[in-house]
Amino acid sequence: MYAIEIENLYKSYDSLPVLNGLNLRVRQGQVYGLLGPNGSGKSTLIHLLLGFLRPTRGTLRVFGQQDLEQVRGRIGYLPERLRYHLRYSGREYLRYLGQFSDLPGEQLSARVEQELGAVGLLSAADRQLATYSKGMLQRLGIAQALLSDPDILLIDEPTSGLDPAGQREMLELLAEVRGRNHTIFLTTHFLDEIELLCDTVGILFGGQLATEIDVQSLRAPGRSVLIKVAQLPPELAARLQQMAPAVRCTGREISLQPNTAALQAQVLRALLDADLSIIALEPQGRPLEDIYMRIVRGDSVELPAADPPPAMFAPPGRPDATTRVLEGAAPTSPGRPGTGDTLLRELLKQDQEPPQTSPTEHQEPL
Amino acid sequence: MNMLIRTLRFVGFTLVEYARSGRILVELLAGVIFFYIFLRRWTTLPSPEYFFSTTSLFALALTFYSTSAALGLGDRPQGYLLLVRRLGRGGYLLGFYLAAQVVIWAIYGLISIAMALYNPIQGLDVRGWLLGTLPLLLNTALLGALLTLLAPIVLPATGRLVVLALVAIAFSGGLIGGQTLAGLPGPVTAAINIARTIFSTPLLPAFTGFALSVSRDYSGIAFAIPLAQLFLTLGLLTMAVYIFARREIILSGG
């Protein structure tokens, strides 16, 4: 069963269309990120899913129910701009919210303590919310959303309007929430959040789902890679360039464009066999950003392969944040580009293992 | 049953919020000022009629303030965290309404206790107080229900204008009459009179309730007045909940 099913959904404010025939499905247990520019209708969609707004046309089902009153209580919600009744203490507030979710007495107390502990607010639980810092209020937001152990979490732009430290703290908390196996539907306009948290990303543009991508596929080798070596003898450079037209050698740099997993492995093996020191291996460009920008500009989009090989290195950007996900996804992942020969030997070893998918599926990595 | 319990819990939640915000001080201060001006011991002892007529008007004024203030609490983004839970829209709206009524009835109770302690009313026993109090409080419930229906989170601006226009027509007897009506063509005068009769009928329980509170005379069919007040209140609340359950919720106040 799907947690969310949206078919041909239209939503207009007065005569201004916001959603324009949206089709979207989220499987149970999936972490789905909806990416879109400001004003693209992401928050409107969340409010439609919560039943606060009514569709102009089309159908929308949550756990198979079109009558959203029937699923009230199974949904946890983290709004974009968290506002609280600040005259309550953290513990008091969660207790009230739990009562409105029909949590019985003992279970309620246990859940409140559990969630306060999970977000690190136990020591401040009896302080009035008015004295909480912004970060503490964000953490309380996560606690309230998870209080009734909902089947699905709707998270609306969780880091919007936060400073970098606040964003980081929120992402770390959400990464922990991700491990609790809830179905999560998250809207954002930050690529980092998608790369860190989501299984699948949909890009909302023009009121429709422009594309949907398996985030794992974005962690495949870069569409274009630059290999830097300590030295590159001319004869070796010539040999490398003969391997494929995609290989270009300039000085002590080797560029693979377009890159493939097989070609990259072949070039690296040649470099190691020649006993050359490899200084760096840098993916060029950022796949999700490229796709997103092309969609927003109205260009045609070439999507990554559906079943990519295991992640070989992290995309650039926020290496620490990305590494955390990659560590979970592929234990052998080095996490950062250009970490030396030992690592490359491991990668090549990995490359020699029997492939799980046919080579042709890996011909178009990003 | 669960719905009722959730709603009552929300009433408690709203009352705590209302009290901690300090808004309750406005009602308390208004009660003290009202008591000092109208009910403190003068040279002559107050009659029951004087007590109920002045307190009825004060209670209605208080209803305007308290209901508006409580419903204003509902039009804040904080409401989203409540509405997403099992409390639901009906419990949310009724919670604010009932919380305001609790405040109004509590202030009325305090005034009555103060009267009993400091300026006892001659000829008014507990039975008489109860007979006068019932229609008085039902009138506050009725006005509160009308204000709930007219709240911005319930009725959009157009709907509010329509309801207010109907109320204006119902009340127009004292404003448009005599010379004004005489100058209009016959059919227009007849239409205005018919509209006035139709739209003022629902207000009858409020007006007669006020009279019953002062007279405390339940003979004849007067016993039906509190019932009419009650049913009109329930009707207005049902309408408010029905509309609120179907409209789009965009909370904006801060």
Side-chain angles (χ1 to χ4, degrees), chain B residues 102-115 129 133 137:
Chain B
V102 169
V103 171
I104 296 156
W105 293 11
I107 298 293
Y108 173 76
L110 289 175
I111 288 172
S112 298
I113 290 169
M115 281 300 283
W129 180 80
T133 295
L137 293 187

Side-chain angles (χ1 to χ4, degrees), chain A residues 11 13 47 50-55 69 72-75 77 79 81-89 92-93 96-102 128 144-145 147-148, chain B residues 2 6 9-10 12-18 20-23 73 76-89 244-250 253-254:
Chain A
K11 178 64 189 172
Y13 292 114
H47 280 215
L50 289 165
F52 296 154
L53 300 177
R54 310 280 184 212
E69 285 295 316
R72 193 170 296 289
R74 295 178 68 185
I75 302 175
Y77 172 47
R81 291 175 206 279
L82 276 163
R83 300 282 180 84
Y84 296 101
H85 298 79
L86 294 173
R87 295 180 185 90
Y88 291 92
S89 72
E92 217 179 1
Y93 193 56
Y96 267 116
L97 294 181
Q99 285 178 351
F100 302 145
S101 300
D102 284 354
Q128 234 187 30
Q144 66 78 27
L147 189 61
S148 58
Chain B
N2 279 347
R6 282 193 291 265
R9 280 176 178 152
F10 183 56
F13 175 84
T14 307
L15 286 172
V16 172
E17 167 83 356
Y18 201 80
R20 289 184 184 174
S21 72
R23 287 183 177 90
L73 293 177
R76 300 184 300 167
Q78 285 91 327
Y80 287 125
L81 293 185
L82 304 168
L83 283 163
V84 78
R85 294 169 204 279
R86 289 187 202 274
L87 174 66
R89 295 188 183 197
F244 185 59
R246 275 150 191 80
R247 75 165 296 181
E248 298 202 319
I249 297 180
I250 302 172

Side-chain angles (χ1 to χ4, degrees), chain B residues 16-252:
Chain B
V16 172
E17 167 83 356
Y18 201 80
R20 289 184 184 174
S21 72
R23 287 183 177 90
I24 191 76
L25 292 175
V26 175
E27 278 96 342
L28 284 171
L29 191 64
V32 169
I33 292 170
F34 168 75
F35 184 84
Y36 181 79
I37 295 175
F38 294 100
L39 300 177
R40 74 182 158 132
R41 189 185 290 274
W42 295 94
T43 49
T44 55
L45 291 172
S47 66
E49 289 73 23
Y50 175 79
F51 171 76
F52 283 116
S53 56
T54 52
T55 335
S56 285
L57 293 174
F58 172 70
L60 291 181
L62 201 60
T63 304
F64 265 107
Y65 172 77
S66 301
T67 309
S68 305
L71 289 166
L73 293 177
D75 192 15
R76 300 184 300 167
Q78 285 91 327
Y80 287 125
L81 293 185
L82 304 168
L83 283 163
V84 78
R85 294 169 204 279
R86 289 187 202 274
L87 174 66
R89 295 188 183 197
Y92 185 76
L93 189 65
L94 289 177
F96 288 117
Y97 166 78
L98 289 173
Q101 289 300 307
V102 169
V103 171
I104 296 156
W105 293 11
I107 298 293
Y108 173 76
L110 289 175
I111 288 172
S112 298
I113 290 169
M115 281 300 283
L117 292 177
Y118 300 112
N119 194 12
I121 303 163
Q122 227 174 15
L124 185 69
D125 55 9
V126 173
R127 182 175 172 277
W129 180 80
L130 284 174
L131 290 175
T133 295
L134 178 65
L136 185 154
L137 293 187
L138 282 171
N139 255 2
T140 67
L142 181 52
L143 179 61
L146 179 65
L147 291 170
T148 302
L149 177 65
L150 290 173
I153 57 170
V154 176
L155 267 186
T158 322
R160 288 204 299 279
L161 280 176
V162 169
V163 174
L164 288 173
L166 297 180
V167 173
I169 291 171
F171 272 109
S172 64
L175 302 172
I176 311 169
Q179 294 297 321
T180 315
L181 277 187
L184 293 173
V188 176
T189 309
I192 289 174
N193 281 331
I194 290 168
R196 190 183 291 160
T197 306
I198 291 171
F199 296 126
S200 64
T201 304
L203 297 173
L204 272 178
F207 293 131
T208 51
F210 179 79
L212 182 66
S213 177
V214 175
S215 71
R216 287 156 290 123
D217 179 9
Y218 284 74
S219 60
I221 59 161
F223 72 90
I225 294 171
L227 287 176
Q229 287 175 298
L230 180 65
F231 286 124
L232 185 56
T233 302
L234 292 177
L236 288 171
L237 283 178
T238 305
M239 207 185 299
V241 170
Y242 179 85
I243 294 168
F244 185 59
R246 275 150 191 80
R247 75 165 296 181
E248 298 202 319
I249 297 180
I250 302 172
L251 302 177
S252 54

Side-chain angles (χ1 to χ4, degrees), chain A residues 43-312:
Chain A
S43 296
T44 294
L45 180 58
I46 292 256
H47 280 215
L48 284 162
L49 287 167
L50 289 165
F52 296 154
L53 300 177
R54 310 280 184 212
T56 306
R57 193 148 45 98
T59 57
L60 184 152
R61 283 186 286 273
V62 178
F63 295 114
Q65 291 284 348
Q66 216 167 325
D67 177 7
L68 299 177
E69 285 295 316
Q70 301 296 320
V71 290
R72 193 170 296 289
R74 295 178 68 185
I75 302 175
Y77 172 47
L78 185 62
E80 178 185 356
R81 291 175 206 279
L82 276 163
R83 300 282 180 84
Y84 296 101
H85 298 79
L86 294 173
R87 295 180 185 90
Y88 291 92
S89 72
R91 181 176 278 121
E92 217 179 1
Y93 193 56
L94 288 188
R95 281 194 66 86
Y96 267 116
L97 294 181
Q99 285 178 351
F100 302 145
S101 300
D102 284 354
L103 285 173
E106 279 184 19
Q107 192 189 339
L108 173 62
S109 300
R111 290 288 305 144
V112 167
E113 297 308 307
Q114 187 184 338
E115 291 305 334
L116 283 170
V119 297
L121 284 177
L122 266 179
S123 59
D126 292 319
R127 273 171 48 192
Q128 234 187 30
L129 296 184
T131 68
Y132 278 27
S133 68
K134 201 168 181 181
M136 292 165 84
L137 291 173
Q138 288 159 16
R139 285 187 267 156
L140 189 74
I142 292 178
Q144 66 78 27
L146 291 167
L147 189 61
S148 58
D149 197 20
D151 294 322
I152 185 168
L153 261 180
L154 303 182
I155 303 177
D156 192 6
E157 310 220 12
T159 60
S160 179
L162 300 180
D163 62 22
Q167 288 182 6
R168 189 179 188 83
E169 187 177 17
M170 193 63 159
L171 286 176
E172 284 171 1
L173 275 169
L174 290 174
E176 286 170 24
V177 172
R178 189 191 194 285
R180 291 168 66 163
N181 296 323
H182 294 280
T183 305
I184 297 177
F185 184 78
L186 176 148
T187 68
T188 184
H189 54 264
F190 292 118
L191 305 177
D192 293 343
E193 286 170 22
I194 298 290
E195 289 171 344
L196 175 64
L197 300 169
C198 300
D199 301 325
T200 305
V201 55
I203 298 180
L204 184 65
F205 188 69
Q208 294 180 324
L209 198 64
T211 189
E212 205 169 66
I213 308 160
D214 180 351
V215 175
Q216 181 65 28
S217 70
L218 300 174
R219 296 171 187 143
R223 177 178 289 277
S224 167
V225 163
L226 190 68
I227 302 169
K228 293 178 182 172
V229 290
Q231 53 178 4
L232 184 60
E235 59 275 18
L236 180 59
R239 189 149 59 86
L240 292 175
Q241 291 192 127
Q242 282 171 0
M243 285 180 180
V247 181
R248 292 276 181 275
C249 298
T250 315
R252 288 177 292 174
E253 292 182 349
I254 304 150
S255 146
L256 310 184
Q257 186 179 14
N259 182 36
T260 67
L263 178 62
Q264 183 177 297
Q266 198 181 348
V267 170
L268 291 173
R269 174 161 296 286
L271 294 173
L272 289 173
D273 288 347
D275 210 18
L276 290 180
S277 293
I278 298 171
I279 296 168
L281 190 152
E282 297 170 351
Q284 305 294 294
R286 195 178 184 190
L288 183 55
E289 187 176 5
D290 290 345
I291 295 170
Y292 178 74
M293 291 310 295
R294 270 180 274 153
I295 286 172
V296 171
R297 284 197 304 257
D299 298 344
S300 65
V301 176
E302 185 184 358
L303 295 180
D307 296 301
M312 295 181 73

